[in-house]
Amino acid sequence: PVPGLPVLPPWSVYDFLVMGPSDPIVAMLDGEATLPCSLVPAMNAEHMELRWFRTKFSEAVLIYQNGREQHEEQMPQYAGRTSLVRDLLTQGQAAVRIQNVRASDNGRYSCFFQKGGHYEEATLELKVAGLGSAPQVHIEGPEQDGVRVVCKASSWFPKPQVQWTDLSGKKFLEFSEAHAQDAAGLFSVEAALVVRDSSAGSVSCSVLNPILGQEKAMAVSIPEPFFPQASPWKAAFAGNLTVLGLLLFGAGFFTRREHSAKVQERQKQQELHQAKEEDLRLNVFYTFPLSLPQYYFRKVGAEPTFKVYWREEQFQACSAHKNLALSPGKTSVTWKDTCVVSDGRCSVLGLEGITWGRYYWEVDIRNGVDSEFALSVCREHVKRTGFYTESPDKGFWVVGCFNNGYNACTTSNPTSLSLRQHPSRVGIFLDYDGRDVSFYNMTDGSHIFSFPRASFVGKLFPYFMLKSGNVWAQPQLLMFIWGENQQMDDLSVSLCLCPLPL
């Protein structure tokens, strides 16, 4: 006997106890779960009545009686999905195996063993876990003083946890989150974040299964133009004003004349900054301090600057597929016969490849609603004749309009995209070094899709494909960015990219 504990009667009186696992059993959705119980002391259970049930004795999951499984009292949702593991039944060990595990299988179970007039039972817990879809992240547009970014994921169990982080891994603490549960009991989540720091450059949404400790994540780039128009010079001016205010507060001995001189100097600086901004608006390049996204260029221990060359130049076409017609200035492409429906794909590429740097261009699309076409980039030596597949493993990073809607060609089976508004202009952002290809609906300012971090090898070419409909496309290169240590002579890629014939 142990002091403080009750003394159990001898086994001749108590007969047996039933023991179950003390820790929860974890099973994957659509997988298999085994719920074991055993007798203490070990004894042959072949001629016992065994029952696994939920909260009530009548809610039978499996019944074993008279040497075989009985199905008359079994709950319908377990019919055809359960079986008795009886390999060690003679040693007093038995288990019920549940196949095609569902979310509704999650919870507590009781196992019941009866021999003659004596019976005992034990409880055990099954935790069902499921990894749902990878999060889809898109930009909804400006909101207040930032950009609203939304993350959606579905078919998770149990309720997943969401976290937003920036490029450095720092967590965003303030964001909204909403969950919903479908008829199968699986959870979907929608989390919205307002990014107010234009230097964030890219944000990542991760969805975590709390039972498995596993997560899926997706990042999205937020180009500078998507933030509410706020002058970097005004921000610098506001910072200078704050510092100056503190200095004036702690240095009251300054004379009024000195104060007036400083105010006039600040006004001159502001006028100079505004003039430089006007130069930028008129497509004149200028060297900016670190006020555009740090996502583009980062340095340690220095105040980096970088040059943004903002151009509005048309793509110039040289020649194209025989079924395609180029405009007289070779700045747009469409069908020679606007009623033609091609059995294959007719495409043009950029004349000069991209091997470094960050580009942003937009494509004006006319009559795109009832047409089939695709836009983006591809590797240099991809197959573009006859029937071919547009997917990253084939060297294509493509978003297009086909199958009655917009799709991303992530695999051989395109991923359907949900757009709030059909775009008449699509923005394409290519960061070669950052391995990023992203698409934006410039009609409503929303994010369309970003490919997972790509593996770029060799040259990439802008890609335009027409398949059917009366579609017309006109690309326009808007921005090219590189670092301060690179000179004008380093620019080996022409800003005018020209379609290359098949």
Side-chain angles (χ1 to χ4, degrees):
V2 178
L5 295 179
V7 178
L8 295 176
W11 292 113
S12 58
V13 177
Y14 224 81
D15 286 336
F16 60 82
L17 291 176
V18 177
M19 305 294 291
S22 57
D23 295 326
I25 299 166
V26 178
M28 295 294 295
L29 275 172
D30 301 320
E32 188 178 275
T34 301
L35 309 181
C37 286
S38 58
L39 293 170
V40 178
M43 63 181 66
N44 192 338
E46 287 182 307
H47 302 293
M48 290 186 178
E49 176 184 345
L50 312 181
R51 178 187 293 252
W52 276 259
F53 60 92
R54 299 302 299 265
T55 56
K56 299 179 181 179
F57 189 80
S58 59
E59 297 176 344
V61 175
L62 181 139
I63 301 174
Y64 172 84
Q65 193 175 24
N66 299 325
R68 65 185 183 90
E69 295 181 30
Q70 309 290 335
H71 302 289
E72 292 78 7
E73 300 180 51
Q74 187 181 43
M75 289 193 293
Q77 58 264 41
Y78 290 98
R81 295 198 298 128
T82 61
S83 60
L84 181 68
V85 181
R86 49 194 303 173
D87 299 343
L88 300 177
L89 204 57
T90 57
Q91 302 176 33
Q93 299 179 33
V96 59
R97 179 179 291 124
I98 304 175
Q99 297 176 328
N100 301 322
V101 172
R102 306 170 181 173
S104 58
D105 296 334
N106 187 75
R108 289 190 172 275
Y109 292 76
S110 295
C111 55
F112 171 92
F113 285 53
Q114 181 173 0
K115 180 180 181 181
H118 183 75
Y119 56 86
E120 291 292 338
E121 64 182 67
T123 60
L124 59 157
E125 183 177 6
L126 173 63
K127 287 190 174 182
V128 176
L131 294 174
S133 67
Q136 293 298 316
V137 185
H138 67 275
I139 300 172
E140 285 200 343
E143 180 171 310
Q144 297 175 355
D145 56 344
V147 176
R148 178 180 174 86
V149 188
V150 175
C151 172
K152 296 181 180 180
S154 59
S155 300
W156 286 74
F157 193 88
K159 183 186 296 184
Q161 300 172 358
V162 179
Q163 185 61 65
W164 288 95
T165 56
D166 61 14
L167 279 173
S168 65
K170 182 180 178 180
K171 296 179 179 180
F172 293 94
L173 301 180
E174 296 183 6
F175 58 89
S176 63
E177 185 176 351
H179 295 84
Q181 202 167 8
D182 61 18
L186 305 183
F187 288 91
S188 60
V189 61
E190 179 174 329
L193 170 72
V194 178
V195 183
R196 294 180 171 85
D197 183 3
S198 62
S199 66
S202 178
V203 293
S204 175
C205 173
S206 62
V207 182
L208 171 72
N209 186 298
I211 294 178
L212 302 175
Q214 299 180 29
E215 66 179 10
K216 294 184 178 182
M218 180 180 178
V220 63
S221 300
I222 311 178
E224 178 76 12
F226 278 82
F227 285 90
Q229 296 301 316
S231 167
W233 302 109
K234 291 182 181 178
F237 174 73
N240 291 337
L241 183 61
T242 302
V243 173
L244 182 58
L246 293 174
L247 292 175
L248 290 175
F249 180 78
F253 57 88
F254 280 117
T255 66
R256 187 178 186 86
R257 179 178 178 182
E258 289 174 326
H259 174 72
S260 177
K262 288 183 179 294
V263 172
Q264 291 177 3
E265 180 62 24
R266 289 200 307 273
Q267 289 175 346
K268 290 180 181 179
Q269 291 178 358
Q270 184 181 17
E271 291 173 358
L272 177 60
H273 296 164
Q274 291 175 346
K276 291 176 179 178
E277 288 182 342
E278 181 66 14
D279 286 342
L280 177 63
R281 189 184 66 81
L282 295 175
N283 303 325
V284 177
F285 72 86
Y286 192 77
T287 302
F288 283 80
L290 185 59
S291 54
L292 290 178
Q294 296 180 21
Y295 169 71
Y296 294 134
F297 297 98
R298 292 178 179 272
K299 281 189 173 183
V300 179
E303 283 293 323
T305 62
F306 57 89
K307 296 178 180 179
V308 176
Y309 282 73
W310 190 273
R311 306 287 182 96
E312 291 190 359
E313 301 191 24
Q314 300 291 341
F315 284 63
Q316 297 175 357
C318 298
S319 58
H321 190 280
K322 62 181 181 179
N323 290 340
L324 300 180
L326 303 175
S327 64
K330 296 185 178 182
T331 58
S332 63
V333 61
T334 186
W335 293 105
K336 286 184 178 179
D337 178 3
T338 57
C339 297
V340 71
V341 177
S342 175
D343 292 333
R345 298 174 174 87
C346 300
S347 61
V348 290
L349 297 184
L351 179 63
E352 297 189 41
I354 297 172
T355 57
W356 62 276
R358 297 159 178 85
Y359 287 81
Y360 175 77
W361 67 89
E362 295 179 355
V363 181
D364 288 320
I365 301 169
R366 187 182 302 166
N367 303 325
V369 176
D370 299 319
S371 302
E372 292 183 298
F373 60 92
L375 309 169
S376 190
V377 296
C378 68
R379 292 198 185 107
E380 184 172 10
H381 299 297
V382 294
K383 178 183 178 182
R384 294 191 297 120
T385 58
F387 178 81
Y388 60 93
T389 301
E390 297 165 318
S391 61
D393 62 331
K394 302 295 184 182
F396 293 88
W397 290 266
V398 167
V399 163
C401 184
F402 42 85
N403 296 336
N404 299 318
Y406 266 78
N407 296 265
C409 298
T410 54
T411 63
S412 57
N413 295 318
T415 300
S416 178
L417 303 176
S418 177
L419 274 64
R420 296 181 302 178
Q421 184 176 353
H422 202 94
S424 59
R425 173 176 288 193
V426 175
I428 303 171
F429 176 72
L430 169 63
D431 183 348
Y432 191 99
D433 302 315
R435 298 182 293 168
D436 180 17
V437 182
S438 297
F439 300 82
Y440 303 91
N441 183 347
M442 302 313 296
T443 303
D444 61 8
S446 62
H447 173 250
I448 296 177
F449 184 78
S450 291
F451 278 91
R453 290 177 66 85
S455 178
F456 297 147
V457 178
K459 293 182 179 180
L460 296 181
F461 293 82
Y463 172 78
F464 308 90
M465 184 277 291
L466 277 63
K467 186 175 181 182
S468 67
N470 185 19
V471 66
W472 172 94
Q474 182 177 33
Q476 189 176 44
L477 182 68
L478 293 181
M479 185 164 56
F480 175 72
I481 306 173
W482 69 94
E484 68 170 351
N485 293 329
Q486 293 164 317
Q487 302 299 322
M488 193 71 171
D489 295 339
D490 295 333
L491 183 56
S492 60
V493 179
S494 171
L495 291 176
C496 293
L497 305 179
C498 310
L500 181 72
L502 288 171

